[in-house]
Coordinates of all heavy atoms in Angstrom, one line a residue:
M1 N -78.1 -45.7 30.0 CA -77.1 -45.1 30.9 C -76.7 -46.1 31.9 O -77.6 -46.8 32.4 CB -77.6 -43.8 31.4 CG -76.6 -43.1 32.4 SD -77.0 -41.4 32.7 CE -75.7 -40.7 31.8
Y2 N -75.5 -46.1 32.4 CA -75.0 -47.0 33.4 C -75.4 -46.5 34.8 O -75.6 -45.3 35.0 CB -73.5 -47.1 33.4 CG -73.0 -47.7 32.1 CD1 -72.4 -46.9 31.1 CD2 -73.1 -49.0 31.8 CE1 -71.9 -47.4 29.9 CE2 -72.6 -49.6 30.7 CZ -72.0 -48.8 29.7 OH -71.6 -49.3 28.5
R3 N -75.6 -47.4 35.6 CA -75.9 -47.1 37.0 C -74.7 -46.8 37.8 O -73.6 -47.3 37.5 CB -76.6 -48.3 37.7 CG -78.0 -48.5 37.3 CD -78.6 -49.7 38.0 NE -78.1 -49.9 39.3 CZ -78.4 -50.9 40.1 NH1 -79.2 -51.8 39.7 NH2 -77.9 -51.1 41.3
R4 N -74.8 -45.8 38.7 CA -73.7 -45.5 39.6 C -73.8 -46.2 40.9 O -74.9 -46.2 41.5 CB -73.7 -44.0 39.8 CG -73.4 -43.1 38.6 CD -73.4 -41.7 39.0 NE -72.9 -40.8 37.9 CZ -72.9 -39.5 38.0 NH1 -73.2 -38.9 39.1 NH2 -72.5 -38.8 36.9
S5 N -72.7 -46.7 41.3 CA -72.7 -47.4 42.6 C -72.7 -46.3 43.7 O -72.5 -45.1 43.5 CB -71.5 -48.2 42.8 OG -70.3 -47.4 42.9
K6 N -73.1 -46.7 44.9 CA -73.2 -45.8 46.1 C -71.8 -45.2 46.4 O -71.7 -44.0 46.7 CB -73.7 -46.5 47.3 CG -75.2 -46.8 47.2 CD -75.7 -47.4 48.5 CE -77.1 -47.8 48.4 NZ -77.6 -48.5 49.6
K7 N -70.8 -46.0 46.3 CA -69.4 -45.6 46.5 C -69.0 -44.5 45.5 O -68.5 -43.5 45.9 CB -68.5 -46.8 46.5 CG -67.1 -46.5 46.8 CD -66.2 -47.7 46.8 CE -64.8 -47.5 47.0 NZ -64.0 -48.7 46.9
Y8 N -69.3 -44.7 44.2 CA -68.9 -43.8 43.2 C -69.7 -42.5 43.3 O -69.2 -41.4 43.2 CB -69.1 -44.4 41.8 CG -68.9 -43.5 40.7 CD1 -67.5 -43.1 40.4 CD2 -69.9 -42.9 39.9 CE1 -67.3 -42.2 39.4 CE2 -69.6 -42.0 38.9 CZ -68.3 -41.7 38.6 OH -68.0 -40.8 37.6
Q9 N -71.0 -42.6 43.6 CA -71.9 -41.4 43.8 C -71.4 -40.6 45.0 O -71.4 -39.4 44.9 CB -73.3 -41.8 44.0 CG -74.3 -40.7 44.0 CD -74.3 -39.9 42.7 OE1 -74.1 -40.5 41.6 NE2 -74.4 -38.6 42.8
A10 N -70.9 -41.2 46.0 CA -70.4 -40.5 47.2 C -69.1 -39.7 46.8 O -68.9 -38.6 47.2 CB -70.2 -41.4 48.4
Q11 N -68.3 -40.4 46.0 CA -67.1 -39.7 45.6 C -67.4 -38.5 44.7 O -66.8 -37.5 44.8 CB -66.2 -40.7 44.8 CG -64.9 -40.2 44.3 CD -64.1 -41.2 43.4 OE1 -64.6 -42.2 43.1 NE2 -62.9 -40.8 43.1
V12 N -68.3 -38.6 43.8 CA -68.7 -37.5 42.9 C -69.3 -36.4 43.7 O -68.9 -35.2 43.5 CB -69.8 -38.0 41.9 CG1 -70.4 -36.8 41.2 CG2 -69.2 -39.0 40.9
A13 N -70.1 -36.7 44.7 CA -70.6 -35.6 45.6 C -69.5 -34.9 46.4 O -69.5 -33.7 46.5 CB -71.7 -36.2 46.5
R14 N -68.6 -35.7 46.9 CA -67.5 -35.2 47.7 C -66.6 -34.2 46.8 O -66.2 -33.1 47.2 CB -66.6 -36.3 48.3 CG -65.7 -35.9 49.4 CD -65.1 -37.1 50.1 NE -64.5 -38.1 49.2 CZ -65.0 -39.3 49.1 NH1 -66.1 -39.7 49.8 NH2 -64.5 -40.2 48.3
L15 N -66.3 -34.6 45.6 CA -65.5 -33.8 44.7 C -66.3 -32.5 44.3 O -65.7 -31.5 44.2 CB -65.1 -34.6 43.4 CG -64.1 -35.7 43.6 CD1 -63.9 -36.5 42.4 CD2 -62.8 -35.1 44.1
A16 N -67.6 -32.6 44.1 CA -68.3 -31.4 43.7 C -68.4 -30.5 44.9 O -68.2 -29.2 44.7 CB -69.8 -31.9 43.4
N17 N -68.5 -31.0 46.1 CA -68.4 -30.1 47.3 C -67.1 -29.4 47.4 O -67.0 -28.2 47.8 CB -68.8 -30.9 48.6 CG -70.2 -31.2 48.7 OD1 -71.1 -30.5 48.0 ND2 -70.6 -32.2 49.4
A18 N -66.0 -30.2 47.2 CA -64.7 -29.6 47.3 C -64.5 -28.5 46.2 O -63.9 -27.4 46.5 CB -63.6 -30.7 47.1
R19 N -65.0 -28.7 45.0 CA -64.9 -27.7 44.0 C -65.7 -26.5 44.3 O -65.2 -25.3 44.1 CB -65.4 -28.3 42.6 CG -64.3 -28.8 41.7 CD -64.8 -29.2 40.4 NE -64.8 -30.6 40.4 CZ -65.9 -31.4 40.1 NH1 -67.0 -30.8 39.7 NH2 -65.8 -32.7 40.1
A20 N -66.8 -26.7 44.8 CA -67.7 -25.5 45.2 C -67.0 -24.7 46.4 O -67.1 -23.5 46.4 CB -69.1 -26.0 45.6
T21 N -66.5 -25.4 47.3 CA -65.8 -24.7 48.4 C -64.6 -23.9 48.0 O -64.4 -22.8 48.4 CB -65.3 -25.8 49.5 OG1 -66.5 -26.5 49.9 CG2 -64.7 -25.1 50.7
K22 N -63.8 -24.5 47.1 CA -62.6 -23.9 46.5 C -63.1 -22.6 45.7 O -62.4 -21.5 45.9 CB -61.9 -24.8 45.6 CG -60.6 -24.3 45.1 CD -59.9 -25.3 44.3 CE -58.6 -24.8 43.7 NZ -57.9 -25.8 42.9
E23 N -64.1 -22.7 45.0 CA -64.6 -21.6 44.2 C -65.1 -20.5 45.1 O -64.9 -19.3 44.9 CB -65.7 -22.0 43.2 CG -66.2 -21.0 42.3 CD -65.2 -20.4 41.3 OE1 -64.2 -21.1 41.0 OE2 -65.4 -19.3 40.8
R24 N -65.8 -20.9 46.1 CA -66.4 -19.9 47.1 C -65.2 -19.1 47.8 O -65.3 -17.9 47.9 CB -67.2 -20.6 48.1 CG -68.2 -19.7 48.9 CD -69.1 -20.5 49.8 NE -69.7 -21.6 49.2 CZ -69.5 -22.9 49.6 NH1 -68.6 -23.1 50.6 NH2 -70.1 -23.9 49.0
K25 N -64.2 -19.8 48.2 CA -63.0 -19.2 48.8 C -62.4 -18.2 47.9 O -61.9 -17.1 48.2 CB -62.0 -20.2 49.3 CG -62.4 -20.9 50.6 CD -61.3 -21.9 51.0 CE -61.7 -22.6 52.3 NZ -60.7 -23.6 52.7
R26 N -62.2 -18.6 46.6 CA -61.6 -17.8 45.6 C -62.4 -16.5 45.4 O -61.8 -15.4 45.3 CB -61.5 -18.5 44.3 CG -60.6 -17.8 43.2 CD -60.6 -18.5 41.9 NE -61.9 -18.5 41.3 CZ -62.5 -17.5 40.6 NH1 -61.9 -16.4 40.4 NH2 -63.7 -17.7 40.0
L27 N -63.7 -16.6 45.4 CA -64.5 -15.4 45.2 C -64.5 -14.5 46.4 O -64.7 -13.3 46.3 CB -65.9 -15.8 44.8 CG -66.1 -16.5 43.5 CD1 -67.6 -17.0 43.3 CD2 -65.7 -15.5 42.3
E28 N -64.4 -15.1 47.6 CA -64.4 -14.3 48.8 C -63.1 -13.5 49.1 O -63.1 -12.5 49.8 CB -64.8 -15.2 50.0 CG -66.2 -15.6 50.0 CD -66.5 -16.6 51.1 OE1 -65.5 -17.0 51.9 OE2 -67.6 -17.0 51.3
E29 N -62.0 -14.0 48.5 CA -60.7 -13.3 48.8 C -60.8 -11.9 48.2 O -61.3 -11.7 47.1 CB -59.6 -14.1 48.1 CG -59.3 -15.4 48.8 CD -58.2 -16.2 48.1 OE1 -57.7 -15.7 47.1 OE2 -57.8 -17.2 48.6
A30 N -60.2 -11.0 48.9 CA -60.2 -9.6 48.5 C -59.1 -9.4 47.3 O -58.1 -10.1 47.3 CB -59.8 -8.7 49.6
V31 N -59.5 -8.5 46.4 CA -58.6 -8.2 45.3 C -57.4 -7.3 45.9 O -57.7 -6.4 46.7 CB -59.3 -7.4 44.2 CG1 -58.4 -6.9 43.2 CG2 -60.4 -8.2 43.7
P32 N -56.2 -7.6 45.6 CA -55.1 -6.8 46.1 C -55.3 -5.3 45.8 O -55.7 -5.0 44.7 CB -53.9 -7.3 45.4 CG -54.2 -8.7 45.0 CD -55.7 -8.7 44.8
A33 N -55.0 -4.4 46.7 CA -55.3 -3.0 46.6 C -54.4 -2.4 45.5 O -54.8 -1.4 44.8 CB -55.0 -2.3 47.9
D34 N -53.2 -2.9 45.3 CA -52.3 -2.3 44.3 C -52.8 -2.5 42.8 O -52.3 -1.8 42.0 CB -50.9 -2.9 44.4 CG -50.8 -4.4 44.2 OD1 -51.8 -5.0 44.4 OD2 -49.7 -4.8 43.8
R35 N -53.6 -3.4 42.6 CA -54.1 -3.7 41.2 C -55.3 -2.8 40.9 O -55.4 -2.4 39.7 CB -54.5 -5.1 41.1 CG -53.4 -6.1 41.1 CD -53.8 -7.4 40.7 NE -52.7 -8.3 40.8 CZ -52.7 -9.6 40.4 NH1 -53.9 -10.1 40.0 NH2 -51.7 -10.3 40.5
C36 N -56.1 -2.3 41.8 CA -57.3 -1.6 41.4 C -57.2 -0.1 41.7 O -57.9 0.7 41.2 CB -58.5 -2.2 42.1 SG -58.4 -2.1 43.9
D37 N -56.2 0.3 42.6 CA -56.1 1.7 43.0 C -54.9 2.4 42.4 O -54.0 2.7 43.1 CB -56.1 1.9 44.5 CG -57.4 1.4 45.1 OD1 -58.5 1.4 44.4 OD2 -57.4 1.0 46.3
L38 N -54.9 2.5 41.1 CA -53.7 3.1 40.4 C -53.9 4.7 40.4 O -55.0 5.1 40.2 CB -53.6 2.7 39.0 CG -53.2 1.2 38.8 CD1 -53.3 0.8 37.3 CD2 -51.9 0.9 39.4
P39 N -52.9 5.4 40.6 CA -53.0 6.9 40.6 C -53.3 7.4 39.2 O -52.9 6.7 38.2 CB -51.7 7.4 41.1 CG -50.7 6.3 40.8 CD -51.5 5.0 40.9
D40 N -53.8 8.6 39.1 CA -54.1 9.1 37.7 C -52.8 9.4 37.0 O -52.6 9.0 35.8 CB -54.9 10.4 37.8 CG -56.3 10.2 38.2 OD1 -56.8 9.0 37.9 OD2 -57.0 11.1 38.7
L41 N -51.8 10.0 37.6 CA -50.5 10.3 37.0 C -49.6 9.1 37.4 O -49.3 9.0 38.6 CB -49.9 11.6 37.5 CG -48.6 12.0 37.0 CD1 -48.6 12.1 35.4 CD2 -48.1 13.3 37.6
R42 N -49.2 8.3 36.5 CA -48.5 7.1 36.8 C -47.0 7.3 36.6 O -46.2 6.7 37.3 CB -49.0 5.9 35.9 CG -50.4 5.7 36.3 CD -51.0 4.4 35.8 NE -50.1 3.3 36.1 CZ -50.1 2.2 35.3 NH1 -50.9 2.1 34.3 NH2 -49.3 1.2 35.6
R43 N -46.5 8.0 35.6 CA -45.1 8.2 35.3 C -44.8 9.6 34.7 O -45.7 10.1 34.1 CB -44.6 7.1 34.3 CG -44.6 5.7 34.8 CD -44.0 4.8 33.8 NE -44.1 3.4 34.3 CZ -43.5 2.4 33.7 NH1 -42.8 2.6 32.6 NH2 -43.7 1.2 34.2
V44 N -43.6 10.1 35.0 CA -43.2 11.4 34.4 C -41.8 11.2 33.9 O -40.9 10.6 34.5 CB -43.2 12.5 35.5 CG1 -42.6 13.7 35.0 CG2 -44.6 12.7 36.1
I45 N -41.6 11.6 32.6 CA -40.3 11.6 32.0 C -39.9 13.0 31.7 O -40.7 13.8 31.1 CB -40.4 10.8 30.7 CG1 -40.9 9.4 30.9 CG2 -39.0 10.8 30.0 CD1 -41.1 8.6 29.6
E46 N -38.8 13.4 32.2 CA -38.3 14.8 31.9 C -37.0 14.7 31.1 O -36.1 14.0 31.4 CB -38.0 15.5 33.2 CG -39.2 15.9 34.0 CD -39.0 16.8 35.1 OE1 -37.8 17.0 35.5 OE2 -39.9 17.3 35.7
I47 N -37.0 15.4 30.0 CA -35.9 15.4 29.0 C -35.4 16.8 29.0 O -36.1 17.8 28.7 CB -36.4 15.0 27.6 CG1 -36.9 13.6 27.7 CG2 -35.2 15.0 26.7 CD1 -37.6 13.1 26.4
T48 N -34.1 17.0 29.2 CA -33.5 18.3 29.2 C -32.5 18.3 28.0 O -31.6 17.5 27.9 CB -32.7 18.6 30.5 OG1 -33.6 18.5 31.6 CG2 -32.1 20.0 30.4
D49 N -32.7 19.3 27.1 CA -31.9 19.4 25.9 C -31.0 20.6 26.0 O -31.4 21.7 26.3 CB -32.9 19.7 24.7 CG -32.2 19.8 23.4 OD1 -31.0 19.3 23.3 OD2 -32.8 20.2 22.4
F50 N -29.6 20.3 26.0 CA -28.6 21.3 26.1 C -28.0 21.7 24.8 O -27.0 22.5 24.8 CB -27.5 20.7 27.0 CG -27.9 20.5 28.4 CD1 -28.2 19.2 28.9 CD2 -28.1 21.5 29.3 CE1 -28.6 18.9 30.2 CE2 -28.5 21.3 30.6 CZ -28.8 20.0 31.0
D51 N -28.5 21.3 23.7 CA -27.9 21.6 22.4 C -28.0 23.0 22.0 O -27.2 23.5 21.2 CB -28.5 20.7 21.3 CG -28.1 19.3 21.4 OD1 -27.1 19.0 22.1 OD2 -28.8 18.4 20.8
T52 N -29.0 23.7 22.4 CA -29.3 25.1 21.9 C -28.5 26.2 22.7 O -28.6 27.3 22.4 CB -30.8 25.4 22.0 OG1 -31.2 25.3 23.4 CG2 -31.6 24.5 21.2
G53 N -27.8 25.8 23.7 CA -27.0 26.8 24.5 C -27.7 27.0 25.8 O -27.1 27.2 26.9
T54 N -29.1 27.2 25.8 CA -29.8 27.3 27.0 C -30.6 26.0 27.2 O -31.2 25.5 26.2 CB -30.9 28.5 26.9 OG1 -31.7 28.3 25.8 CG2 -30.1 29.8 26.7
P55 N -30.6 25.5 28.4 CA -31.3 24.2 28.6 C -32.8 24.3 28.4 O -33.5 25.3 28.9 CB -31.0 23.8 30.0 CG -30.2 24.9 30.6 CD -30.0 26.0 29.6
V56 N -33.4 23.4 27.6 CA -34.8 23.3 27.4 C -35.3 22.0 27.9 O -34.8 20.9 27.6 CB -35.2 23.4 25.9 CG1 -36.6 23.3 25.6 CG2 -34.6 24.7 25.3
T57 N -36.3 22.1 28.8 CA -36.8 20.9 29.5 C -38.2 20.5 28.9 O -39.1 21.4 28.9 CB -36.9 21.0 31.0 OG1 -35.6 21.3 31.5 CG2 -37.4 19.8 31.7
H58 N -38.4 19.3 28.5 CA -39.7 18.8 28.1 C -40.2 17.8 29.1 O -39.4 17.0 29.6 CB -39.5 18.1 26.7 CG -39.1 19.0 25.6 ND1 -39.9 19.9 25.0 CD2 -37.9 19.1 25.1 CE1 -39.2 20.6 24.1 NE2 -37.9 20.1 24.1
R59 N -41.4 17.9 29.5 CA -42.0 17.0 30.5 C -43.1 16.1 29.8 O -44.0 16.6 29.2 CB -42.7 17.9 31.6 CG -43.3 17.1 32.7 CD -43.8 18.1 33.8 NE -44.5 17.4 34.8 CZ -44.0 17.0 36.0 NH1 -42.8 17.3 36.2 NH2 -44.8 16.4 36.9
I60 N -42.9 14.8 29.9 CA -43.8 13.9 29.4 C -44.6 13.2 30.5 O -43.9 12.6 31.4 CB -43.1 12.8 28.5 CG1 -42.3 13.5 27.4 CG2 -44.1 11.8 28.0 CD1 -41.4 12.6 26.6
E61 N -45.9 13.4 30.6 CA -46.7 12.8 31.7 C -47.5 11.7 31.2 O -48.2 11.8 30.2 CB -47.6 13.9 32.3 CG -46.8 15.1 32.8 CD -47.7 16.3 33.2 OE1 -48.8 16.3 32.7 OE2 -47.2 17.1 34.0
L62 N -47.4 10.6 31.9 CA -48.2 9.4 31.5 C -49.3 9.1 32.5 O -49.0 8.9 33.7 CB -47.2 8.1 31.5 CG -46.0 8.3 30.6 CD1 -45.1 7.1 30.7 CD2 -46.3 8.6 29.2
Y63 N -50.5 9.2 32.1 CA -51.7 9.1 32.9 C -52.3 7.7 32.7 O -52.2 7.1 31.7 CB -52.7 10.2 32.6 CG -52.3 11.6 33.0 CD1 -51.6 12.4 32.1 CD2 -52.5 12.0 34.3 CE1 -51.2 13.7 32.5 CE2 -52.1 13.3 34.7 CZ -51.4 14.1 33.8 OH -51.0 15.4 34.2
R64 N -53.1 7.4 33.7 CA -53.9 6.1 33.7 C -54.9 6.1 32.5 O -55.5 7.1 32.3 CB -54.6 5.9 35.0 CG -55.4 4.7 35.1 CD -56.1 4.5 36.4 NE -57.0 5.6 36.6 CZ -57.7 5.9 37.7 NH1 -57.4 5.2 38.8 NH2 -58.5 6.8 37.8
S65 N -55.0 5.0 31.9 CA -56.0 4.8 30.8 C -57.0 3.7 31.2 O -56.9 3.2 32.3 CB -55.4 4.6 29.5 OG -54.9 3.3 29.4
D66 N -57.8 3.3 30.3 CA -58.8 2.3 30.6 C -58.1 0.9 30.6 O -58.8 -0.1 31.0 CB -60.0 2.3 29.7 CG -59.6 2.2 28.2 OD1 -58.4 2.3 27.9 OD2 -60.5 2.1 27.4
R67 N -56.9 0.8 30.1 CA -56.2 -0.5 30.2 C -55.0 -0.4 31.1 O -54.4 0.7 31.2 CB -55.7 -0.9 28.8 CG -56.8 -1.3 27.8 CD -56.2 -1.8 26.5 NE -55.2 -2.7 26.8 CZ -54.8 -3.6 25.9 NH1 -55.5 -3.8 24.8 NH2 -53.8 -4.4 26.1
I68 N -54.6 -1.5 31.7 CA -53.6 -1.5 32.7 C -52.2 -1.3 32.1 O -51.3 -0.8 32.7 CB -53.6 -2.8 33.6 CG1 -52.7 -2.7 34.8 CG2 -53.2 -4.0 32.8 CD1 -53.2 -1.9 35.9
D69 N -52.0 -1.7 30.8 CA -50.7 -1.7 30.2 C -50.6 -0.5 29.2 O -49.6 -0.5 28.4 CB -50.5 -3.0 29.4 CG -51.5 -3.3 28.4 OD1 -52.6 -2.7 28.4 OD2 -51.2 -4.1 27.5
C70 N -51.5 0.5 29.3 CA -51.4 1.6 28.4 C -51.6 2.9 29.2 O -52.0 2.9 30.3 CB -52.6 1.6 27.3 SG -52.4 0.2 26.2
Y71 N -51.2 4.0 28.5 CA -51.2 5.3 29.1 C -51.9 6.4 28.2 O -51.9 6.2 27.0 CB -49.8 5.8 29.4 CG -49.0 4.9 30.2 CD1 -48.1 3.9 29.6 CD2 -49.0 4.9 31.6 CE1 -47.4 3.1 30.4 CE2 -48.2 4.1 32.4 CZ -47.4 3.1 31.8 OH -46.7 2.3 32.5
N72 N -52.4 7.4 28.8 CA -52.8 8.6 28.1 C -51.6 9.6 28.3 O -51.2 9.9 29.4 CB -54.1 9.2 28.7 CG -55.3 8.3 28.5 OD1 -55.3 7.5 27.5 ND2 -56.2 8.3 29.4
V73 N -51.1 10.1 27.2 CA -49.8 10.8 27.3 C -50.0 12.3 27.0 O -50.7 12.7 26.0 CB -48.8 10.3 26.3 CG1 -47.5 11.0 26.4 CG2 -48.6 8.8 26.5
K74 N -49.4 13.2 27.8 CA -49.3 14.6 27.6 C -47.9 15.0 27.5 O -47.1 14.6 28.4 CB -50.0 15.4 28.7 CG -51.5 15.2 28.7 CD -52.1 16.1 29.8 CE -53.6 16.0 29.8 NZ -54.2 16.9 30.8
I75 N -47.5 15.8 26.5 CA -46.2 16.4 26.4 C -46.3 17.9 26.6 O -47.0 18.6 25.9 CB -45.6 16.0 25.1 CG1 -45.4 14.5 24.9 CG2 -44.2 16.7 24.9 CD1 -44.9 14.1 23.6
D76 N -45.6 18.4 27.6 CA -45.6 19.8 28.0 C -47.0 20.3 28.2 O -47.4 21.4 27.8 CB -44.9 20.6 26.9 CG -43.4 20.3 26.9 OD1 -42.8 19.9 28.0 OD2 -42.8 20.5 25.9
G77 N -47.9 19.5 28.7 CA -49.3 19.9 29.0 C -50.2 19.7 27.9 O -51.4 19.9 28.1
Q78 N -49.8 19.4 26.7 CA -50.6 19.2 25.5 C -50.9 17.7 25.3 O -49.9 16.9 25.4 CB -50.0 19.8 24.3 CG -49.7 21.3 24.4 CD -51.0 22.1 24.5 OE1 -51.9 21.8 23.8 NE2 -50.9 23.1 25.4
P79 N -52.1 17.3 25.0 CA -52.3 15.8 24.8 C -51.6 15.4 23.5 O -51.6 16.0 22.5 CB -53.9 15.8 24.6 CG -54.4 17.1 24.9 CD -53.3 18.1 25.0
W80 N -51.0 14.2 23.7 CA -50.2 13.6 22.5 C -50.9 12.4 22.0 O -51.3 12.3 20.8 CB -48.8 13.3 23.0 CG -47.9 12.7 21.9 CD1 -47.7 13.2 20.6 CD2 -47.2 11.5 21.9 NE1 -46.9 12.4 19.9 CE2 -46.6 11.3 20.7 CE3 -47.0 10.6 22.9 CZ2 -45.7 10.3 20.4 CZ3 -46.2 9.5 22.6 CH2 -45.6 9.3 21.4
Q81 N -51.1 11.4 22.8 CA -51.8 10.1 22.4 C -52.7 9.7 23.5 O -52.4 9.9 24.7 CB -50.7 9.0 22.2 CG -49.8 9.2 21.0 CD -50.5 8.9 19.7 OE1 -51.4 8.1 19.7 NE2 -50.1 9.5 18.6
Q82 N -53.7 9.0 23.1 CA -54.6 8.3 24.1 C -54.4 6.8 24.0 O -54.3 6.3 22.9 CB -56.1 8.6 23.7 CG -56.5 10.0 23.9 CD -56.6 10.4 25.3 OE1 -57.1 9.7 26.2 NE2 -56.0 11.6 25.6
R83 N -54.3 6.2 25.1 CA -54.1 4.7 25.2 C -53.0 4.2 24.3 O -53.2 3.5 23.3 CB -55.5 4.0 24.8 CG -55.6 2.7 25.6 CD -57.0 2.2 25.4 NE -56.9 1.2 24.3 CZ -57.9 0.5 23.9 NH1 -59.1 0.6 24.5 NH2 -57.8 -0.4 23.0
I84 N -51.8 4.5 24.7 CA -50.6 4.1 24.0 C -49.7 3.3 24.9 O -49.6 3.6 26.1 CB -49.8 5.3 23.4 CG1 -48.7 4.9 22.6 CG2 -49.5 6.3 24.5 CD1 -48.0 6.0 21.8
G85 N -49.1 2.3 24.4 CA -48.3 1.4 25.2 C -46.9 1.9 25.5 O -46.4 2.9 24.8
W86 N -46.2 1.3 26.5 CA -44.9 1.8 26.9 C -43.8 1.7 25.7 O -43.1 2.7 25.5 CB -44.4 1.0 28.1 CG -43.1 1.3 28.6 CD1 -41.9 0.6 28.6 CD2 -42.7 2.6 29.2 NE1 -40.9 1.2 29.1 CE2 -41.3 2.5 29.6 CE3 -43.3 3.7 29.5 CZ2 -40.6 3.5 30.2 CZ3 -42.6 4.8 30.2 CH2 -41.3 4.6 30.5
S87 N -43.8 0.7 25.0 CA -42.9 0.5 23.9 C -43.1 1.6 22.8 O -42.2 2.1 22.2 CB -42.9 -0.9 23.3 OG -44.2 -1.2 22.8
R88 N -44.4 1.9 22.5 CA -44.7 2.9 21.5 C -44.3 4.3 22.0 O -43.9 5.2 21.3 CB -46.2 2.9 21.2 CG -46.7 1.7 20.5 CD -46.7 1.7 19.0 NE -47.1 2.9 18.4 CZ -48.4 3.2 18.1 NH1 -49.4 2.4 18.3 NH2 -48.7 4.4 17.5
I89 N -44.4 4.5 23.3 CA -43.9 5.8 23.9 C -42.4 6.0 23.8 O -41.9 7.0 23.3 CB -44.3 5.9 25.4 CG1 -45.8 6.0 25.6 CG2 -43.7 7.1 26.1 CD1 -46.3 5.8 27.0
L90 N -41.7 4.9 24.1 CA -40.2 4.9 23.9 C -39.8 5.1 22.4 O -38.8 5.8 22.1 CB -39.6 3.7 24.5 CG -39.8 3.6 26.0 CD1 -39.1 2.3 26.5 CD2 -39.1 4.7 26.8
E91 N -40.6 4.5 21.6 CA -40.3 4.7 20.1 C -40.5 6.1 19.7 O -39.8 6.6 18.9 CB -41.3 3.7 19.4 CG -41.1 3.8 17.9 CD -42.2 2.9 17.2 OE1 -42.3 1.7 17.6 OE2 -42.9 3.4 16.3
G92 N -41.5 6.8 20.3 CA -41.8 8.2 20.0 C -40.7 9.1 20.5 O -40.5 10.2 20.0
L93 N -39.9 8.7 21.5 CA -38.9 9.5 22.0 C -37.7 9.6 21.0 O -37.1 10.6 20.8 CB -38.3 9.0 23.3 CG -39.2 9.0 24.5 CD1 -38.6 8.4 25.7 CD2 -39.6 10.5 24.8

């Protein structure tokens, strides 16, 4: 193995300290509150159907699931799908 000069070894140590300091700062920063504190009920879609003569309203409630980009869906209070994405919900409409 090659020998390291004092100058090179000092540069390696300085870079390692800078990396460690940067990593420490990154870990100490607080996570933004909007990312971790999502409400249980995230979206509501109300559809009113006027075709039958009397208006019929359907309520689609989108609840938080274990993934950030998916929802647990209830239609008129009855469970419809667990962990379904926004595009699949719109497809179901």
Side-chain angles (χ1 to χ4, degrees):
M1 177 164 250
Y2 296 105
R3 286 182 29 185
R4 293 182 172 179
S5 67
K6 289 182 183 180
K7 183 178 177 181
Y8 177 72
Q9 188 60 37
Q11 180 183 9
V12 169
R14 196 170 47 250
L15 289 174
N17 286 338
R19 263 187 257 125
T21 303
K22 185 177 180 181
E23 182 68 18
R24 197 175 317 113
K25 283 183 181 179
R26 187 185 67 80
L27 292 175
E28 289 174 357
E29 289 179 358
V31 176
D34 62 335
R35 290 189 182 185
C36 62
D37 295 335
L38 294 174
D40 285 336
L41 180 61
R42 298 197 44 208
R43 293 183 182 189
V44 174
I45 303 171
E46 289 188 353
I47 301 171
T48 305
D49 184 14
F50 295 102
D51 289 343
T52 60
T54 58
V56 177
T57 302
H58 299 284
R59 183 177 172 97
I60 302 170
E61 299 169 341
L62 308 176
Y63 290 92
R64 179 179 64 189
S65 72
D66 56 350
R67 288 185 49 153
I68 190 77
D69 60 342
C70 294
Y71 304 94
N72 296 330
V73 182
K74 289 185 179 181
I75 298 178
D76 294 332
Q78 301 295 320
W80 179 52
Q81 291 281 335
Q82 295 289 317
R83 210 170 97 177
I84 184 171
W86 179 246
S87 61
R88 296 265 321 268
I89 292 168
L90 295 177
E91 181 183 311
L93 293 177

